[in-house]
Amino acid sequence: MAKTNYKALLANRMEQDFSKWLAQPHVQEREVYRFLHTMKGTAGTIGLMELSEFCGHQLNSFAEDSTALLPAQTLNSLMDTLTGFFTSEESVPEKAANASEETPAKESFVLVIDADAEFAASVKEALEAQGIPVVIALDGQKGMELFYALQPQMVILDRTLPDTDGFDLVAQIHEAAKSRFLPIAVISADDRMENQIRAMELGATDFLAKPLNMPFFAAYASNRLRSQKALSQGSLYDDLTGAGNRTYFNQVLEQTTALADKTKTVFTLALLDLDHFSKVNGTYGHLAGDEVLRTFSGLLLKMKRESDYLFRYSGEQFALILPDTNAKKAAALIDQIRSAFAETDFSFASSEPFQVSFSAGISEYRNKQDAPVNMADSALYQAKQNGRSQTIISGRTADDIRRHLNLIIVDDDSLVRRLVSKQFSGWKPEDFDLRIEEYVDGASFVESPWYKPEENYMILLDGVMPKMDGLEVLNHVRSQYPHENIVISMLTSRNNESDIVLALKNGADDYIVKPFYAQEVVARVERLTMRMFK
């Protein structure tokens, strides 16, 4: 649907609201507030920026929670002004007009760990204006979770955090960051030389004093991200585990495929994923998790054949490429590795010894019709679904079993739901099937039987809705359902930092400020849901 049609739909819906107001003697103040809030976000999203800004200014004249009754005739001036926006021709920014035609690219993104939500939001605003996505954590524990789950390309963290010392956090993530050439910037209002020296000694790349000069900071972050990309592309091995990295994997897979096609031979790809690895990190700490990764990789390097290639594919997932080998022989080797790893005991601090298992998916490449990565990934997913700690050999097709992502859009604005749904309908991810569900308000979503334990969910949740506020819905989901297979991003037009703080503290993984461009939402969803499909 063209943008001009969205404008007509918005105008029609506005007229319906006005007709309802004029048919009654009084209108509740909070109803006017919600109307303006919705108009601000929707108008900006479809490219009507002047209208969006006007509604944003008008919000200051009304209270969100007020039940006061306003005489309907006192709203005549506001209604006339708003109607005027639709009788004049307002230009639509080129980016917004072409939004539905653009395909989002996988972008670098920055993780900001800072208890000052207002400051973190200002960093997010400055960097995202430059096209650099930002995810925020308000404490060290959440920061560590996001660091390992999302694998950012840069980390910015404050020296003082509510639950840990920022320097301790640098020490914990330094080794993992080093393997990806990831810049770590420590920021602090206390820029004494001893703090700067300490940051460098622990492995930070930079120390920046607060307050930041945002134009300089945006240029600085872009510079560091470009350097990180260039360095990571030039390296072939993962420093933490000694296995090849994703770049090297892609090169070897391409070469092995070409050789198999030329010589009419087969090869096998195996994907191995450590079971319940997040529980290892959560129970024993990320340093313990790193040791498990090193031990597992060391065992694989020791037991693989000289002709085989080992890679750290992503996070806790490894890949083996076995040239001139069929799936049956590869499975036999994986079983030997499984038996050896089952005998490995881990113990950290005062913990009791424990073991870690792994699941494996295997695909055999025979000809150009095969898609080895997709097939091995599907087999790995089936191994997990069947109870983990087992090996599944893929069938001849990769669609015997497919993972699903349920994208749930909860927004009382039908235009926003339609616009976002349309953008996602053109998104064709390789790793899973996408299902889109829409809910007109928070109450209807909460009351529906939407959740299935074996599925994965991305919830786009509007902050201001009738019947049930977005924060109430957020609290309900986080208190009633597990976190690991549900990602939540708040959609908000609010300028109040306390609302953002509440959302992040109550379990939101991210927030997206209205107005937004729909294709940017796709890119952010792709990033946030990546950890569920490793």
Side-chain angles (χ1 to χ4, degrees), residues 138 142 145-146 471 474-475 477-479 483 486-490 500-510 531:
L138 297 181
K142 183 67 173 180
E145 292 174 1
L146 294 177
L471 287 174
L474 173 66
N475 289 332
V477 173
R478 286 310 190 205
S479 65
H483 287 216
I486 303 174
V487 176
I488 302 177
S489 185
M490 300 293 292
I500 294 174
V501 173
L502 279 174
L504 293 172
K505 286 187 174 180
N506 290 340
D509 296 281
D510 191 28
R531 70 177 188 260

Side-chain angles (χ1 to χ4, degrees), residues 177-195:
K178 184 174 67 174
S179 68
R180 306 204 306 268
F181 306 98
L182 184 147
I184 303 173
V186 176
I187 52 178
S188 177
D190 183 357
D191 62 348
R192 288 176 297 168
M193 184 55 63
E194 53 261 42
N195 284 336

Side-chain angles (χ1 to χ4, degrees), residues 164 178 186 213 220 239 249 285 292 298 379 403 429 447 473 484 513 515:
T164 188
K178 184 174 67 174
V186 176
N213 179 296
Y220 151 80
D239 284 351
F249 169 81
V292 172
R403 291 177 288 179
E447 294 167 2
V473 178
E484 53 268 15
V513 177

Side-chain angles (χ1 to χ4, degrees), residues 156 186 205 280 296 340 377 468:
I156 300 164
V186 176
T205 313
V280 174
F296 185 50
D377 190 57
M468 194 172 188

Side-chain angles (χ1 to χ4, degrees), residues 449-463:
W450 62 274
Y451 182 75
K452 296 179 181 178
E454 69 276 8
E455 299 285 350
N456 297 297
Y457 297 88
M458 174 72 201
I459 302 174
L460 297 177
L461 179 60
D462 188 26

Side-chain angles (χ1 to χ4, degrees), residues 35-51:
F35 166 82
L36 290 168
H37 178 275
T38 299
M39 287 291 290
K40 174 192 173 185
T42 305
T45 298
I46 67 175
L48 303 177
M49 303 310 298
E50 292 181 12
L51 174 58

Side-chain angles (χ1 to χ4, degrees), residues 249 269-272 309-313 317-321:
F249 169 81
L269 169 65
L271 294 180
L272 301 84
Y309 297 88
L310 173 67
F311 310 91
R312 187 180 180 189
Y313 189 70
Q317 192 172 111
F318 292 79
L320 276 170
I321 293 179

